[in-house]
Amino acid sequence: MLHLRLITPADVTEEAVRLIERTPGTTHLAVLPGAARNPAGDVVLCDVAREAGDELLSGLQTLGIHERGSIAVENIDLSLSKRADKAEEEAPGEAADAVLWEHLTDATHEESTLSVTYVAFITLATMIAACGVVLDNAILIVGAMAVGPEFGPLAGICTALVRRAPRLALRAVTALLAGFAIAMLMTVVFSLFMDWVGLFTEAQLEGDRPNTGFIYAPDWFSFVVAVLAGAAGTLSLTSAKAGALVGVAISVTTVPAAANAAVALSYGDTAQTLGSTEQLLLNLLGIVLAGTLTLLAQKLFWNRQRERTAAKSRL
């Protein structure tokens, strides 16, 4: 269930209340006339089943409440109410399948920001991966994959393509490309320093690396895994099952490929640099392609779900 807290202008309150009342899956409606001070207006509270949330939010935005008042949404972890149980039964579909498009857009917008924290995380992840490729240590590679924040901008690109949001797309692409560029540049410097102190050697990079050699040797399996991971990651975001993102992060060779390219570049190994860069681009393409198609499929599914629900209500 979701909890909605609205601040509505007095002239819109009745329309908002009627919209809430006729939306299947809503309950616990309360209206507090004149309770809001900044901005001034009425306070409207209600709970709604997650699977009906997107339709209700779209309707409330059509009334302009988000422009003249506010719409706040919170997840309800526990609701002991028979009326809430009935509301979830009345709502179409399943909660786990529902997509809150405004929430997804807002979340990916935040995760796609080229901030100091984002750059720090992707740089540290790339440096950890650099240690992993030189030492041929799979544990370090997995750790670097888990630390890397690059799925946020990738999800932002997918969301922007489906919702036709050019500003979000530009923001996400900028964060992705600039983030990797800065991380790889810093990793080149890091690699040169580690070589200077004797902790990295060219022999280690060029030697037999059974655990990490795949990073600079892309093949179709790399693309297939990236596609599967992109679909899984997108589903984890839209269904609020964030735990699956960890599995997604350690399934794709993005940060390790960037790290291997940076270390190889510091030693002038063109073959490994190009191979690793190809691996990186292949994974990024697979994730974006799969994520976009997954969101389009979910959008189509819920549009048909709404049409069936509307048809039933007219009977």
Side-chain angles (χ1 to χ4, degrees):
M1 295 288 289
L2 302 172
H3 177 67
L4 270 62
R5 183 181 72 252
L6 314 176
I7 295 179
T8 62
D11 60 314
V12 181
T13 300
E14 285 303 317
E15 285 186 84
V17 170
R18 285 196 297 270
L19 174 63
I20 293 171
E21 289 178 332
R22 67 171 179 261
T23 300
T26 58
T27 186
H28 304 153
L29 175 63
V31 182
L32 308 176
R37 292 293 180 267
N38 184 22
D42 304 327
V43 174
V44 179
L45 308 173
C46 73
D47 295 340
V48 59
R50 180 181 173 85
E51 50 269 44
D54 188 64
E55 181 179 0
L56 178 57
L57 289 173
S58 297
L60 293 171
Q61 287 181 294
T62 301
L63 297 177
I65 294 175
H66 63 299
E67 296 175 348
R68 299 173 58 195
S70 76
I71 304 173
V73 183
E74 300 173 343
N75 282 307
I76 299 176
D77 295 327
L78 177 64
S79 179
L80 302 178
S81 167
K82 289 186 177 179
R83 186 64 191 90
D85 295 338
K86 183 179 179 182
E88 289 187 320
E89 292 175 1
E90 293 172 350
E94 296 294 332
D97 298 332
V99 181
L100 296 176
W101 291 101
E102 289 300 328
H103 177 269
L104 178 63
T105 302
D106 184 68
T108 52
H109 182 276
E110 182 179 349
E111 294 295 325
S112 301
T113 302
L114 186 62
S115 62
V116 173
T117 301
Y118 170 80
V119 172
F121 267 115
I122 197 168
T123 300
L124 291 172
T126 307
M127 288 180 177
I128 293 172
C131 295
V133 297
V134 172
L135 298 175
D136 194 34
N137 189 315
I139 295 176
L140 291 177
I141 294 296
V142 171
M145 290 175 171
V147 172
E150 72 279 6
F151 192 80
L154 289 169
I157 294 172
C158 299
T159 304
L161 290 174
V162 173
R163 303 213 70 189
R164 299 177 183 178
R167 289 187 179 181
L168 177 58
L170 178 61
R171 190 185 191 96
V173 170
T174 300
L176 186 68
L177 297 183
F180 269 116
I182 295 171
M184 292 173 72
L185 178 61
M186 294 299 294
T187 302
V188 169
V189 176
F190 173 72
S191 177
L192 292 172
F193 171 77
M194 294 292 279
D195 179 78
W196 180 65
V197 298
L199 295 177
F200 281 8
T201 65
E202 187 174 2
Q204 289 175 301
L205 180 71
E206 302 296 343
D208 187 27
R209 290 159 48 196
N211 294 320
T212 58
F214 68 93
I215 292 173
Y216 57 89
D219 54 24
W220 279 108
F221 278 107
S222 301
F223 183 74
V224 170
V225 171
V227 168
L228 297 176
T234 303
L235 286 173
S236 72
L237 285 177
T238 56
S239 64
K241 296 185 180 295
L245 280 176
V246 177
V248 173
I250 61 177
S251 298
V252 292
T253 317
T254 49
V255 167
N260 200 90
V263 176
L265 183 62
S266 70
Y267 284 115
D269 187 333
T270 306
Q272 283 203 39
T273 300
L274 293 177
S276 300
T277 302
E278 183 182 349
Q279 178 79 276
L280 173 62
L281 295 176
L282 201 61
N283 276 266
L284 295 179
L285 175 62
I287 293 172
V288 170
L289 178 62
T292 303
L293 291 177
T294 300
L295 288 177
L296 286 172
Q298 289 179 293
K299 187 176 182 179
L300 178 62
F301 172 80
W302 276 102
N303 285 342
R304 290 185 175 179
Q305 189 76 36
R306 285 182 180 180
E307 291 173 1
R308 286 196 295 266
T309 302
K312 289 181 180 179
S313 65
R314 290 194 294 267
L315 296 178

